[in-house]
Amino acid sequence: MSVYELIAILGLTSYAIYQQTRRHEVVARTRVKLTFIYLAVGLLIGGMHLPSTPLAAVFLVISILLSLIVGQIRGRLTRLWVEDGKVYSQGTPLTVAIFLGLIASKFVLGTIAYFTHASDTGGIGEILIMLAIMMAIQAELIHRRAMRLEDEPVVGDASLA
């Protein structure tokens, strides 16, 4: 891993944690902004390589499944609420820990793949692309949850009488 890759992953991880822990309005058109940032940087610093062995394909499938599962979990556990007619979201310590755990698992999978000679082509770019998959799933779930919250009647609303 080069110094530039390390700086990229640390910068993007710090930014993602900041974004997760701050309160922000759920806005449909910007829900995948962070996903595209991770995807673009991942492609720029190495991208993905097709698996060259069956074991490498297994590692890739495990990595994709982890991203999908964690995206589902985080999308369901992110805190949502309505305030002044707008839906807001904020990550929790648990969702941040799950995010960091996913990153750590990607490094562990890559290390195991390298030492078992399953693959030596994976890198930071591939990790960022897998994180982008997780973020896309999470963003879509949060958006759908937010839409349901927007549709719920407000208790005490005079227009319901």
Side-chain angles (χ1 to χ4, degrees):
M1 175 183 329
S2 76
V3 172
Y4 298 112
E5 290 175 329
L6 185 59
I7 290 170
I9 192 82
L10 288 174
L12 285 170
T13 300
S14 298
Y15 180 70
I17 290 171
Y18 166 74
Q19 287 292 92
Q20 292 172 48
T21 56
R22 73 176 185 84
R23 171 193 131 145
H24 59 279
E25 184 180 355
V26 177
V27 180
R29 71 182 189 289
T30 61
R31 71 180 180 266
V32 291
K33 179 176 83 173
L34 198 58
T35 300
F36 285 125
I37 291 170
Y38 267 71
L39 183 62
V41 174
L43 290 171
L44 286 172
I45 64 172
M48 290 194 56
H49 304 277
L50 290 176
S52 57
T53 67
L55 190 54
V58 168
F59 279 109
L60 180 61
V61 168
I62 290 170
S63 187
I64 292 170
L65 286 174
L66 278 171
S67 292
L68 294 172
I69 291 167
V70 169
Q72 285 275 335
I73 292 169
R74 292 185 73 230
R76 294 182 192 284
L77 295 180
T78 297
R79 196 171 143 242
L80 294 179
W81 70 96
V82 177
E83 186 177 307
D84 298 325
K86 298 177 183 178
V87 180
Y88 291 90
S89 73
Q90 185 173 17
T92 65
L94 179 59
T95 60
V96 172
I98 292 169
F99 175 72
L100 293 173
L102 179 64
I103 292 172
S105 74
K106 303 295 184 177
F107 279 103
V108 169
L109 280 173
T111 302
I112 293 170
Y114 177 78
F115 284 116
T116 59
H117 304 290
S119 173
D120 59 358
T121 59
I124 299 299
E126 191 169 304
I127 291 171
L128 293 176
I129 292 169
M130 291 298 142
L131 290 174
I133 292 170
M134 180 270 307
M135 290 174 183
I137 298 297
Q138 176 185 347
E140 184 59 27
L141 278 175
I142 290 170
H143 172 68
R144 289 179 184 191
R145 288 177 56 211
M147 287 184 354
R148 284 195 304 270
L149 276 177
E150 287 174 338
D151 292 340
E152 288 181 7
V154 177
V155 176
D157 189 346
S159 66
L160 297 176

